[in-house]
């Protein structure tokens, strides 16, 4: 099992202006990359804010949605499971999936970073500035998490850049996607 975080950020390092901001600002090339990666993933994990912002596109995918509104796990359909990661062993829920796509937002990326669960990270830097907003992660961790850069790709002539990292401390059998 491999957990891949997928993020689009502005030049100033923001993933959204606020929790209700949709991701309609990403480039067409990044959307193609994202959809290909999701097609190759077995399940998507998102926080409830991100899920509510993107119910329509996410309803086509198998999703695990983080929320405090359930005690443990609530299976809504074959494609939709709500879970409260505080009260379950997350590994039991995802261990049968080969590729887990972690789609954010900030609170959810942060949970995975704090628990050292991110194996790979794809970051697309889009050439725009919000000037304020949500960062990818929100935790003042004493110890930096080190990642190793695997590749950089220019996605288009506007300058959208796709960076691919792997967690230096994980020995997962990653492959370039
Ligand atoms: N640019 C990008 O690549 C990208 C990617 C993803 C999302 N986004 C954006 O990010 C924004 C949302 O980020 P966000 O940080 O506000 O929200 P989020 O992580 O999407 O969702 C937060 C919600 O998820 C649940 N949750 C998260 N962590 C939990 C935990 N450890 N235990 C229990 N429940 C947990 C809670 O739901 P309940 O309130 O139900 O308890 C919490 O209120 C949106 O604007 C979205 O569009 C951008």
């Amino acid at each position: 099992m491999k957990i891949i975080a997928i993020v689009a950020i502005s030049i100033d390092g923001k993933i959204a202006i606020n929790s209700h901001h949709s991701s309609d600002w990403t480039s067409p090339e990044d959307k193609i990359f994202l959809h290909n990666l999701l097609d190759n993933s077995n399940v998507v994990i998102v926080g409830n804010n991100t899920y509510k912002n993107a119910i329509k596109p996410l309803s086509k995918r198998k999703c695990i949605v983080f929320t405090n509104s359930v005690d443990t796990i609530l299976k809504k359909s074959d494609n939709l499971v709500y879970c409260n990661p505080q009260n379950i062993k997350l590994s039991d829920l995802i261990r049968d999936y080969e590729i887990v796509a972690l789609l954010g937002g900030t609170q959810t990326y942060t949970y995975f970073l704090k628990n050292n669960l991110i194996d790979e990270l794809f970051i697309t830097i889009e050439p725009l500035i919000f000037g304020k907003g949500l960062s990818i992660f929100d935790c003042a961790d004493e110890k930096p998490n080190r990642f190793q850069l695997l590749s950089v790709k220019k996605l288009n002539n506007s300058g959208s850049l796709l960076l691919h990292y792997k967690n230096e401390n994980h020995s997962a059998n990653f492959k370039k996607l």
Side-chain angles (χ1 to χ4, degrees):
M1 191 254 297
K2 180 168 65 173
I3 300 178
I4 304 176
I6 309 157
V7 193
I9 60 168
S10 59
I11 294 172
D12 52 337
K14 304 300 178 192
I15 66 163
I17 294 174
N18 57 47
S19 290
H20 310 292
H21 187 193
S22 76
S23 295
D24 56 1
W25 47 274
T26 58
S27 59
E29 294 79 9
D30 180 61
K31 287 189 173 64
I32 291 168
F33 161 75
L34 172 65
H35 294 152
N36 284 339
L37 188 43
L38 294 183
D39 289 347
N40 284 299
S41 304
N42 306 102
V43 70
V44 170
I45 298 185
V46 283
N48 207 10
N49 290 349
T50 297
Y51 184 72
K52 284 188 261 185
N53 280 352
I55 287 184
K56 203 171 166 204
L58 287 175
S59 61
K60 292 180 228 146
R61 316 259 175 202
K62 192 176 264 298
C63 284
I64 295 172
V65 179
F66 275 16
T67 178
N68 294 294
S69 67
V70 299
D71 270 346
T72 52
I73 291 174
L74 176 65
K75 187 172 177 186
K76 288 289 255 185
S77 69
D78 281 348
N79 265 358
L80 178 59
V81 171
Y82 286 97
C83 83
N84 186 335
Q86 322 302 333
N87 301 335
I88 60 160
K89 204 168 158 209
L90 186 63
S91 55
D92 287 346
L93 191 59
I94 59 176
R95 74 155 54 94
D96 291 337
Y97 297 113
E98 194 186 344
I99 300 183
V100 177
L102 171 60
L103 269 195
T106 301
Q107 293 183 42
T108 308
Y109 291 133
T110 300
Y111 173 89
F112 280 80
L113 184 76
K114 276 186 165 174
N115 289 286
N116 192 22
L117 291 171
I118 299 175
D119 296 307
E120 292 182 39
L121 181 57
F122 282 97
I123 296 187
T124 301
I125 306 174
E126 294 289 5
L128 52 84
I129 293 172
F130 290 130
K132 63 173 184 177
L134 303 179
S135 302
I136 307 176
F137 303 110
D138 184 13
C139 53
D141 220 348
E142 322 75 47
K143 216 172 101 213
N145 282 266
R146 294 211 173 271
F147 283 76
Q148 180 188 337
L149 183 65
L150 299 175
S151 66
V152 180
K153 188 175 170 190
K154 191 173 164 192
L155 291 181
N156 54 33
N157 288 333
S158 312
S160 306
L161 289 181
L162 175 62
L163 284 68
H164 183 191
Y165 295 89
K166 82 172 182 99
N167 192 323
E168 270 200 349
N169 301 313
H170 287 200
S171 55
N173 297 322
F174 68 90
K175 63 174 185 206
K176 284 193 189 176
L177 290 165

Coordinates of all heavy atoms in Angstrom, one line a residue, residues 16-64:
A16 N -5.8 27.1 -1.3 CA -7.2 27.7 -1.4 C -7.2 29.0 -0.7 O -6.4 29.2 0.2 CB -8.2 26.7 -0.9
I17 N -8.1 29.8 -1.0 CA -8.2 31.1 -0.2 C -8.9 30.8 1.1 O -8.5 31.4 2.1 CB -9.1 32.1 -1.0 CG1 -8.3 32.5 -2.3 CG2 -9.4 33.4 -0.2 CD1 -9.0 33.4 -3.2
N18 N -9.9 29.9 1.1 CA -10.5 29.5 2.4 C -11.1 28.1 2.2 O -11.0 27.6 1.1 CB -11.6 30.6 2.8 CG -12.6 30.7 1.8 OD1 -13.1 29.8 1.2 ND2 -12.9 32.0 1.4
S19 N -11.8 27.6 3.3 CA -12.3 26.3 3.3 C -13.4 26.0 2.2 O -13.6 24.8 1.9 CB -12.8 25.9 4.6 OG -11.8 25.8 5.5
H20 N -14.0 27.1 1.7 CA -15.1 26.9 0.8 C -14.6 27.1 -0.7 O -15.4 27.0 -1.6 CB -16.2 27.9 1.1 CG -16.6 27.8 2.5 ND1 -17.3 26.7 3.1 CD2 -16.5 28.7 3.5 CE1 -17.5 27.0 4.4 NE2 -17.0 28.2 4.7
H21 N -13.4 27.5 -0.8 CA -12.9 27.8 -2.1 C -12.7 26.5 -3.0 O -12.0 25.6 -2.5 CB -11.5 28.5 -2.0 CG -10.9 29.1 -3.2 ND1 -9.6 29.5 -3.3 CD2 -11.4 29.3 -4.4 CE1 -9.3 29.9 -4.5 NE2 -10.4 29.8 -5.2
S22 N -13.2 26.5 -4.2 CA -13.1 25.3 -5.0 C -11.7 25.3 -5.7 O -11.0 26.3 -5.7 CB -14.2 25.1 -6.0 OG -14.0 26.0 -7.0
S23 N -11.4 24.2 -6.3 CA -10.1 24.1 -7.0 C -10.2 24.4 -8.5 O -9.5 23.8 -9.3 CB -9.4 22.8 -6.8 OG -9.1 22.6 -5.4
D24 N -11.1 25.3 -8.9 CA -11.3 25.6 -10.3 C -10.2 26.5 -10.9 O -10.3 26.8 -12.1 CB -12.7 26.3 -10.5 CG -12.9 27.6 -9.7 OD1 -11.9 27.9 -8.9 OD2 -13.9 28.2 -9.7
W25 N -9.2 26.8 -10.1 CA -8.1 27.7 -10.6 C -7.0 26.9 -11.2 O -6.0 27.5 -11.7 CB -7.7 28.6 -9.5 CG -7.4 27.9 -8.2 CD1 -8.4 27.6 -7.3 CD2 -6.2 27.3 -7.8 NE1 -7.8 26.9 -6.2 CE2 -6.4 26.7 -6.5 CE3 -4.9 27.3 -8.3 CZ2 -5.4 26.1 -5.8 CZ3 -3.9 26.6 -7.6 CH2 -4.2 26.0 -6.3
T26 N -7.0 25.6 -11.1 CA -5.9 24.8 -11.6 C -5.9 24.7 -13.2 O -7.0 24.9 -13.8 CB -5.8 23.4 -11.0 OG1 -7.0 22.8 -11.3 CG2 -5.7 23.5 -9.5
S27 N -4.8 24.5 -13.8 CA -4.7 24.5 -15.2 C -5.3 23.2 -15.8 O -5.4 22.2 -15.1 CB -3.2 24.6 -15.6 OG -2.5 23.5 -15.1
P28 N -5.7 23.3 -17.1 CA -6.3 22.1 -17.7 C -5.3 20.9 -17.7 O -5.6 19.8 -17.5 CB -6.5 22.5 -19.2 CG -6.6 24.0 -19.1 CD -5.8 24.5 -18.0
E29 N -4.0 21.3 -17.9 CA -3.0 20.2 -17.9 C -2.9 19.5 -16.5 O -2.7 18.3 -16.4 CB -1.6 20.8 -18.3 CG -1.5 21.3 -19.7 CD -2.2 22.7 -19.9 OE1 -2.5 23.4 -18.9 OE2 -2.3 23.1 -21.1
D30 N -3.0 20.3 -15.4 CA -3.0 19.7 -14.1 C -4.2 18.8 -13.9 O -4.1 17.8 -13.3 CB -2.9 20.8 -13.0 CG -2.8 20.1 -11.6 OD1 -1.9 19.4 -11.4 OD2 -3.7 20.4 -10.8
K31 N -5.3 19.3 -14.4 CA -6.6 18.5 -14.2 C -6.4 17.1 -14.9 O -6.8 16.1 -14.4 CB -7.8 19.2 -14.8 CG -8.2 20.4 -13.9 CD -9.5 21.0 -14.4 CE -10.0 22.0 -13.4 NZ -9.2 23.2 -13.3
I32 N -5.8 17.2 -16.1 CA -5.5 15.9 -16.8 C -4.6 15.0 -16.0 O -4.9 13.8 -15.8 CB -4.9 16.2 -18.2 CG1 -5.9 16.8 -19.1 CG2 -4.4 14.9 -18.9 CD1 -5.4 17.4 -20.4
F33 N -3.5 15.6 -15.5 CA -2.6 14.8 -14.6 C -3.4 14.2 -13.4 O -3.3 13.0 -13.1 CB -1.5 15.7 -14.2 CG -0.8 15.1 -13.0 CD1 0.1 14.0 -13.1 CD2 -1.0 15.6 -11.7 CE1 0.7 13.5 -12.0 CE2 -0.4 15.0 -10.6 CZ 0.4 13.9 -10.8
L34 N -4.2 15.1 -12.8 CA -4.9 14.6 -11.6 C -5.9 13.5 -11.9 O -5.9 12.4 -11.2 CB -5.7 15.8 -11.0 CG -6.6 15.5 -9.8 CD1 -5.9 15.0 -8.6 CD2 -7.5 16.7 -9.4
H35 N -6.6 13.6 -13.0 CA -7.6 12.6 -13.3 C -6.9 11.3 -13.7 O -7.3 10.2 -13.3 CB -8.5 13.1 -14.5 CG -9.4 14.2 -14.0 ND1 -9.8 15.2 -14.9 CD2 -9.8 14.6 -12.8 CE1 -10.5 16.1 -14.2 NE2 -10.5 15.7 -13.0
N36 N -5.7 11.4 -14.4 CA -5.0 10.1 -14.7 C -4.5 9.4 -13.4 O -4.6 8.2 -13.3 CB -3.8 10.4 -15.6 CG -4.2 10.7 -17.0 OD1 -5.3 10.3 -17.4 ND2 -3.4 11.4 -17.8
L37 N -4.0 10.3 -12.5 CA -3.5 9.7 -11.2 C -4.6 9.0 -10.4 O -4.5 7.9 -9.9 CB -2.8 10.8 -10.4 CG -2.0 10.4 -9.2 CD1 -1.2 9.1 -9.4 CD2 -1.1 11.5 -8.7
L38 N -5.8 9.7 -10.4 CA -6.9 9.2 -9.7 C -7.5 7.9 -10.3 O -7.8 7.0 -9.7 CB -8.1 10.2 -9.5 CG -7.7 11.4 -8.7 CD1 -8.9 12.4 -8.6 CD2 -7.2 11.1 -7.3
D39 N -7.4 7.9 -11.7 CA -7.8 6.6 -12.4 C -6.9 5.5 -12.0 O -7.4 4.3 -12.1 CB -7.8 6.9 -13.9 CG -8.9 7.8 -14.4 OD1 -9.8 8.1 -13.6 OD2 -8.8 8.3 -15.5
N40 N -5.7 5.8 -11.7 CA -4.7 4.7 -11.3 C -4.7 4.4 -9.8 O -3.9 3.6 -9.4 CB -3.3 5.1 -11.8 CG -3.2 4.9 -13.3 OD1 -3.3 3.8 -13.8 ND2 -2.9 6.0 -14.0
S41 N -5.5 5.1 -9.1 CA -5.6 4.9 -7.6 C -6.8 4.0 -7.3 O -7.7 4.0 -8.0 CB -5.7 6.2 -6.9 OG -4.7 7.1 -7.3
N42 N -6.7 3.4 -6.1 CA -7.8 2.4 -5.8 C -8.8 3.1 -4.8 O -9.9 2.7 -4.7 CB -7.2 1.2 -5.0 CG -6.1 0.5 -5.9 OD1 -4.9 0.7 -5.7 ND2 -6.6 -0.2 -6.9
V43 N -8.3 4.2 -4.2 CA -9.3 4.9 -3.3 C -8.7 6.3 -3.1 O -7.5 6.5 -3.2 CB -9.4 4.1 -1.9 CG1 -8.2 4.2 -1.1 CG2 -10.6 4.6 -1.1
V44 N -9.7 7.2 -2.8 CA -9.3 8.6 -2.5 C -9.7 8.9 -1.1 O -10.7 8.5 -0.6 CB -10.2 9.5 -3.4 CG1 -10.0 11.0 -3.0 CG2 -9.8 9.3 -4.9
I45 N -8.8 9.6 -0.4 CA -9.1 10.1 1.0 C -9.2 11.6 1.0 O -8.3 12.3 0.5 CB -8.1 9.7 2.0 CG1 -8.0 8.1 2.1 CG2 -8.4 10.2 3.4 CD1 -7.1 7.6 3.2
V46 N -10.3 12.1 1.5 CA -10.5 13.6 1.6 C -11.1 14.0 2.9 O -11.8 13.1 3.6 CB -11.4 14.2 0.5 CG1 -10.8 14.3 -0.8 CG2 -12.7 13.4 0.4
G47 N -10.9 15.2 3.3 CA -11.6 15.8 4.5 C -13.0 16.2 4.0 O -13.3 16.4 2.8
N48 N -13.9 16.3 5.0 CA -15.3 16.6 4.7 C -15.5 18.0 4.0 O -16.3 18.1 3.1 CB -16.1 16.6 6.0 CG -17.6 16.2 5.7 OD1 -17.9 15.8 4.6 ND2 -18.4 16.3 6.7
N49 N -14.6 19.0 4.3 CA -14.8 20.3 3.6 C -14.5 20.1 2.1 O -15.2 20.6 1.3 CB -13.8 21.3 4.2 CG -14.2 21.7 5.6 OD1 -15.3 21.4 6.0 ND2 -13.3 22.4 6.3
T50 N -13.4 19.4 1.8 CA -13.0 19.2 0.4 C -14.1 18.3 -0.3 O -14.5 18.6 -1.4 CB -11.7 18.5 0.3 OG1 -10.7 19.4 0.9 CG2 -11.3 18.2 -1.1
Y51 N -14.6 17.3 0.4 CA -15.6 16.5 -0.2 C -16.9 17.3 -0.5 O -17.4 17.2 -1.6 CB -16.0 15.3 0.8 CG -17.0 14.4 0.2 CD1 -16.6 13.5 -0.9 CD2 -18.3 14.4 0.6 CE1 -17.5 12.7 -1.5 CE2 -19.2 13.5 -0.1 CZ -18.8 12.7 -1.1 OH -19.7 11.9 -1.7
K52 N -17.3 18.2 0.4 CA -18.5 19.0 0.2 C -18.3 19.9 -1.0 O -19.2 20.3 -1.7 CB -18.9 19.7 1.5 CG -19.5 18.8 2.5 CD -20.1 19.6 3.7 CE -19.2 19.6 4.9 NZ -19.6 20.2 6.1
N53 N -17.0 20.4 -1.2 CA -16.8 21.3 -2.3 C -16.7 20.6 -3.6 O -16.8 21.3 -4.7 CB -15.4 22.0 -2.1 CG -15.4 23.1 -1.1 OD1 -16.4 23.5 -0.7 ND2 -14.2 23.6 -0.7
A54 N -16.6 19.3 -3.6 CA -16.4 18.6 -4.9 C -17.2 17.3 -4.9 O -16.7 16.3 -5.4 CB -14.9 18.3 -5.1
I55 N -18.4 17.3 -4.4 CA -19.2 16.1 -4.3 C -19.4 15.5 -5.7 O -19.2 14.2 -5.9 CB -20.6 16.3 -3.7 CG1 -20.4 16.5 -2.2 CG2 -21.5 15.2 -3.9 CD1 -21.7 16.7 -1.4
K56 N -19.7 16.3 -6.7 CA -20.0 15.8 -8.0 C -18.9 15.0 -8.6 O -19.0 13.8 -8.9 CB -20.5 16.9 -8.9 CG -21.4 16.3 -10.0 CD -22.0 17.4 -10.8 CE -22.5 16.9 -12.1 NZ -22.7 17.9 -13.2
P57 N -17.7 15.6 -8.8 CA -16.6 14.8 -9.4 C -16.1 13.6 -8.5 O -15.8 12.6 -9.0 CB -15.4 15.8 -9.5 CG -15.8 17.0 -8.7 CD -17.3 17.0 -8.6
L58 N -16.2 13.8 -7.1 CA -15.7 12.8 -6.3 C -16.7 11.6 -6.2 O -16.3 10.5 -5.8 CB -15.4 13.3 -4.9 CG -14.2 14.2 -4.8 CD1 -14.0 14.8 -3.4 CD2 -12.9 13.3 -5.1
S59 N -18.0 11.8 -6.5 CA -19.0 10.7 -6.4 C -18.7 9.6 -7.4 O -19.2 8.5 -7.2 CB -20.4 11.3 -6.5 OG -20.5 11.8 -7.8
K60 N -17.9 9.9 -8.4 CA -17.5 8.9 -9.4 C -16.4 8.0 -8.8 O -16.1 6.9 -9.4 CB -17.0 9.5 -10.7 CG -18.0 10.3 -11.4 CD -17.3 10.9 -12.7 CE -17.7 12.3 -12.8 NZ -16.7 13.2 -13.4
R61 N -15.8 8.4 -7.7 CA -14.6 7.7 -7.2 C -15.0 7.0 -5.9 O -15.9 7.4 -5.2 CB -13.5 8.6 -6.9 CG -13.2 9.7 -8.0 CD -12.1 9.3 -8.8 NE -11.9 10.1 -9.9 CZ -11.2 9.8 -11.0 NH1 -10.7 8.6 -11.1 NH2 -11.1 10.6 -12.0
K62 N -14.2 5.9 -5.6 CA -14.3 5.3 -4.2 C -13.6 6.3 -3.2 O -12.5 6.6 -3.4 CB -13.6 4.0 -4.3 CG -13.9 3.1 -3.1 CD -13.2 1.8 -3.2 CE -14.1 0.7 -3.7 NZ -15.3 0.4 -2.9
C63 N -14.4 6.8 -2.3 CA -13.9 7.8 -1.4 C -14.0 7.4 0.1 O -15.0 6.8 0.5 CB -14.7 9.1 -1.5 SG -14.3 10.0 -3.0
I64 N -13.0 7.7 0.8 CA -13.1 7.7 2.3 C -13.0 9.2 2.7 O -12.1 9.9 2.4 CB -11.9 6.9 2.9 CG1 -11.9 5.5 2.5 CG2 -11.8 7.1 4.4 CD1 -10.7 4.7 2.9

